[in-house]
Amino acid sequence: MIRLAIIFNYNRNKRLRKDGTAAVLIRAYHDARHKFFKTGVYVSPSQWDEKAKRVIRHPKAYEFNQIISMTVGRMESFITELQRNEEPLSLERLQDYKAKKHTIKNFTDLYHLYLQKERHQASFLSKQQTLNKLRAFQGKVLFSQINYQFAANFHEFLVQQNQGTTSIHKHFKWMKKFIRIAVKTGHLPVENQTAFQDFRIKPPTSNPLYLTEEELEAFEQMRLPYDHPLRIHLDYFLFICYTGIRPVDLEELKPEHFTIHADGIELRFRTSKTEEPYHFNLRTLFPHPDGGDSRPERIIKRVLEEMPYRGGPKAQLKKYRTYVWPYAKAAINRNLKTIAQLLPIRKTLHREIHAYVGRHTFGTIMAGKIEVQHLRRLMTHRRIATTMKYVHLNKKAIEEALKKADW
């Protein structure tokens, strides 16, 4: 097996280039030999976190970290492909991981090849998940096998894998994308594409689950002791409700992303999905009835004060004391259901609540308070059309409330 490691060259030979930087390399180790591969990333020693293996304090830190991550991902993908095809592993063979000439023998090969051209990390990982499901379903998929029955069988497989409606819809979206590429490149007759698309799947729900303001207040009023195991997860969820931050971004936040001023706490970072900047004063969001710090400020101050004293498994202790919310999403979603069942809210939330409901809650409530163009910036959407669904949700919530009004 070939093992990969991220290496900062200065830590290896203590030599810098003339501009004061050194290369970030990928070291491949196999059969008592190693070989270094370039990533194209060069930073100074002060801009490299050796323990986290990440670029820090650099204007292009996010871009550089994406390049490093995707380079490792593509090398691992290439190694997996060699093993799957029962080809011999060697450091010399690994040099072909980014070769432009590939033999496309089947649809799986085509999917893998064109996946390597994806430059956005989030999209790359999402499409990779679909490829993994496809391989688990059948391994190598011949072009001649792509038809209506193949789509039906793949759908049944995903259902048996306990994939939700949204996940199944995503997998079929990526399948259709690469099937279009296969048609355009002459590998697949258009008749096969049409046959595959004739299989209809249930679209994901168009109305995201969210809390009403009364239900949000029920979560806010829930009082848990300092050492209660559910309290950190309740704070996590409420912070999303009050800021609209995506869970994937919240899990990457560190204390240095927060700056405390006399007039409030500033939160500044760049989102991983859309790469849009998030830079807002938390004092302006959801003020507390008692005045002073806003609701999100009260949460983050409490969490930051507790961080140095967190306990946990020794192997995870550093992570727990480095990231603000370093907890597994599955555990958080599971505990949110436990919390919801203790509150007087809709039964649907008892069963289906998850971390992203907090973001939907923020968008829906704020859609009734600020202009849509400002909401787009708060939610770091690329397109205003994405933001408009929260405007529609807010109108629907008002209509439902009017129906229940005691006239």
Side-chain angles (χ1 to χ4, degrees):
M1 180 63 183
I2 298 178
R3 298 198 303 272
L4 304 177
I6 302 170
I7 303 295
F8 185 49
N9 206 35
Y10 175 73
N11 294 334
R12 189 172 69 94
N13 58 22
K14 302 301 179 185
R15 291 165 60 184
L16 296 172
R17 303 195 309 168
K18 290 182 180 180
D19 62 356
T21 64
V24 177
L25 307 172
I26 308 298
R27 183 181 65 190
Y29 185 84
H30 180 63
D31 283 347
R33 294 173 55 232
H34 67 260
K35 187 175 183 63
F36 292 95
F37 294 82
K38 295 180 180 180
T39 64
V41 173
Y42 296 85
V43 294
S44 66
S46 65
Q47 295 167 337
W48 179 252
D49 185 337
E50 178 60 25
K51 292 183 179 179
K53 300 294 184 182
R54 292 177 63 83
V55 178
I56 58 174
R57 295 190 291 273
H58 189 285
K60 294 186 177 180
Y62 177 81
E63 178 184 339
F64 284 173
N65 286 325
Q66 272 199 323
I67 291 172
I68 295 167
S69 176
M70 292 181 70
T71 301
V72 173
R74 283 171 178 155
M75 293 177 75
E76 289 175 339
S77 226
F78 184 78
I79 294 168
T80 302
E81 191 70 10
L82 291 179
Q83 291 175 318
R84 185 172 287 108
N85 295 332
E86 299 182 352
E87 296 183 34
L89 291 177
S90 70
L91 297 178
E92 289 70 29
R93 185 72 177 90
L94 186 57
Q95 293 180 97
D96 295 333
Y97 84 94
K98 58 180 180 179
K100 297 192 180 295
K101 292 184 179 179
H102 296 265
T103 302
I104 299 176
K105 299 178 180 178
N106 50 60
F107 178 73
T108 314
D109 287 346
L110 180 139
Y111 194 121
H112 174 76
L113 171 61
Y114 282 89
L115 174 62
Q116 308 312 309
K117 299 181 180 182
E118 176 60 62
R119 309 305 298 176
H120 192 273
Q121 187 181 24
S123 295
F124 176 85
L125 295 174
S126 179
K127 293 171 184 175
Q128 180 70 55
Q129 289 174 351
T130 301
L131 179 58
N132 292 341
K133 291 295 181 186
L134 186 63
R135 284 170 168 164
F137 168 60
Q138 187 170 311
K140 294 181 180 179
V141 179
L142 302 179
F143 291 110
S144 60
Q145 294 175 314
I146 295 177
N147 52 32
Y148 181 94
Q149 190 58 51
F150 176 85
N153 293 341
F154 185 48
H155 179 269
E156 183 179 355
F157 169 78
L158 294 174
V159 172
Q160 291 173 352
Q161 292 280 306
N162 295 320
Q163 295 283 293
T165 304
T166 302
S167 296
I168 293 175
H169 190 271
K170 178 198 69 175
H171 292 314
F172 269 77
K173 179 180 75 171
W174 295 138
M175 284 291 292
K176 290 176 181 178
K177 174 183 176 65
F178 287 99
I179 285 174
R180 285 197 299 271
I181 293 174
V183 171
K184 288 180 180 179
T185 54
H187 290 91
L188 184 71
V190 69
E191 292 80 8
N192 291 66
Q193 178 189 28
T194 303
F196 183 92
Q197 293 178 342
D198 281 344
F199 180 80
R200 305 295 180 185
I201 61 172
K202 182 180 178 181
T205 176
S206 58
N207 294 326
L209 193 62
Y210 62 92
L211 304 182
T212 64
E213 293 193 53
E214 292 76 16
E215 289 168 333
L216 177 57
E217 187 62 25
F219 276 86
E220 173 68 28
Q221 294 302 320
M222 189 175 192
R223 296 289 179 256
L224 294 173
Y226 165 80
D227 56 348
H228 197 288
L230 295 178
R231 196 170 68 83
I232 191 69
H233 297 146
L234 176 61
D235 285 343
Y236 171 99
F237 180 68
L238 284 172
F239 194 77
I240 296 176
C241 290
Y242 295 144
T243 61
I245 296 173
R246 295 179 181 87
V248 67
D249 292 320
L250 189 60
E251 291 156 16
E252 293 295 320
L253 291 185
K254 297 180 180 180
E256 52 261 38
H257 289 114
F258 299 88
T259 306
I260 301 177
H261 301 289
D263 59 347
I265 299 177
E266 282 191 5
L267 173 56
R268 182 198 296 260
F269 67 94
R270 188 170 289 276
T271 62
S272 60
K273 182 176 181 179
T274 61
E275 300 182 10
E276 293 283 324
Y278 186 102
H279 180 199
F280 297 103
N281 188 332
L282 299 183
R283 183 68 55 83
T284 61
L285 296 172
F286 289 86
H288 196 277
D290 297 337
D293 292 340
S294 66
R295 287 182 168 179
E297 283 183 307
R298 292 175 184 232
I299 293 173
I300 197 59
K301 279 187 175 181
R302 182 168 64 245
V303 173
L304 292 177
E305 287 173 1
E306 296 168 1
M307 275 186 66
Y309 308 104
R310 284 177 180 166
K314 189 174 181 180
Q316 298 289 324
L317 201 55
K318 183 183 175 187
K319 178 182 176 183
Y320 285 1
R321 295 179 181 177
T322 301
Y323 294 92
V324 179
W325 274 290
Y327 305 100
K329 192 181 298 182
I332 291 173
N333 289 337
R334 186 169 58 249
N335 288 327
L336 281 177
K337 290 179 175 63
T338 301
I339 293 170
Q341 289 165 9
L342 301 173
L343 298 173
I345 57 178
R346 284 169 291 159
K347 300 297 183 183
T348 304
L349 290 165
H350 292 179
R351 301 187 307 270
E352 300 180 17
I353 192 169
H354 51 84
Y356 222 91
V357 170
R359 180 168 165 83
H360 296 324
T361 298
F362 175 85
T364 306
I365 292 175
M366 294 302 292
K369 300 181 183 296
I370 61 176
E371 296 293 331
V372 66
Q373 63 268 26
H374 301 312
L375 180 59
R376 185 195 72 80
R377 288 198 58 211
L378 268 174
M379 301 203 70
T380 61
H381 289 148
R382 280 207 188 104
R383 300 183 302 119
I384 198 75
T386 308
T387 314
M388 285 301 296
K389 71 179 181 181
Y390 293 105
V391 176
H392 299 318
L393 277 176
N394 183 269
K395 289 180 179 178
K396 184 177 179 181
I398 293 172
E399 290 173 0
E400 291 297 323
L402 286 174
K403 290 176 183 177
K404 296 176 182 178
D406 184 5
W407 298 101

